[in-house]
Amino acid sequence: MAASFKQKTVQKILQMYFKDEKTKMNPESLALISELAEIFIAEACMRTAKQAQKDGDTELSLEQFEKILPQLLLNF
Amino acid sequence: MSTAEEFEKLSENQRLKAAVHHTTLQICKEHSASQDVQLNRMVVASISETVWRKFEAWATDLELFAKHAKRSTINADDVKMLIRKSPKLLAHMNQVHEQIVATKNEGKKKTKKSTAKD
């Protein structure tokens, strides 16, 4: 898997939502959260694709994404 | 906050969202190829938006976990607590973590050897 998040990007995004300005991420946790996000996207894509195959479609649709979204959010 | 500062903050926000969308598209492209389905721009945009909201939720939780342990720096254990309800995911993350620690220790050993030779 080649596509991945840049550490700096993830750090900046999370920093935006920290309530305390003293809160920081250590490098390991940054790497793990990036991995988590990448898996999340892969799962979202794969589950939508599986749903599309079930429905007999060759192109992904919002309807299929919406079908798999609840379980996806519960798993992460 | 002046309008100029507000505008700058908005651009940074947009830049970060664009970066997330870019990586989301790359990952989706890799996976759609192996599954023989065509991507849809709106679906990719929705996934991207969902990841963004996840980042927000994770940030809040991680900060809370660290604070609960009386730390201001978030560590690997905090991240693992996020996914405690998914055993397979947790197992995978533990593996990834071990790899990270192993690479880190290899780096330390190399620097120790070089200082010993001197």
Side-chain angles (χ1 to χ4, degrees), chain A residues 1-6 8-10 12-26 28-42 44-50 52-53 57-62 65 69 72-76, chain B residues 12-13 16-17 19-21 23-32 35-43 46-47 50-52 54-56 58-60 62-63 66-67 72-77 79-80 82-83 85-86 89 92-93 96-97 100-101 104:
Chain A
M1 198 172 46
S4 61
F5 280 104
K6 292 206 180 115
K8 264 217 159 167
T9 310
V10 179
K12 283 190 187 172
I13 299 171
L14 294 173
Q15 206 96 40
M16 272 173 54
Y17 293 110
F18 289 151
K19 298 196 175 72
D20 191 341
E21 55 184 21
K22 282 181 257 165
T23 307
K24 293 183 189 64
M25 301 269 294
N26 83 358
E28 281 178 16
S29 62
L30 207 52
L32 286 176
I33 269 284
S34 303
E35 173 80 14
L36 190 61
E38 288 151 25
I39 296 176
F40 182 82
I41 296 170
C45 187
M46 284 195 282
R47 292 184 193 191
T48 310
K50 275 226 169 93
Q53 285 171 344
D57 290 323
T58 48
E59 184 176 340
L60 303 185
S61 75
L62 270 183
F65 174 62
L69 192 56
L72 179 69
L73 293 176
L74 283 172
N75 290 143
F76 280 81
Chain B
E12 174 73 357
N13 188 300
L16 291 171
K17 284 205 170 168
V20 171
H21 188 270
T23 309
T24 305
L25 184 57
Q26 282 186 312
I27 298 175
C28 286
K29 274 187 180 169
E30 287 173 353
H31 286 275
S32 72
Q35 291 218 271
D36 236 351
V37 281
Q38 275 230 350
L39 284 182
N40 175 305
R41 248 180 301 150
M42 286 190 289
V43 173
S46 300
I47 297 177
T50 313
V51 170
W52 182 270
K54 269 310 207 175
F55 275 133
E56 177 176 1
W58 288 334
T60 318
L62 287 173
E63 184 177 40
K67 203 172 195 194
S72 53
T73 306
I74 295 164
N75 65 20
D77 289 333
V79 179
K80 288 182 197 172
L82 276 179
I83 48 168
K85 294 193 184 151
S86 296
L89 192 53
H92 174 80
M93 280 303 183
V96 175
H97 186 212
I100 296 173
V101 173
K104 200 168 62 162

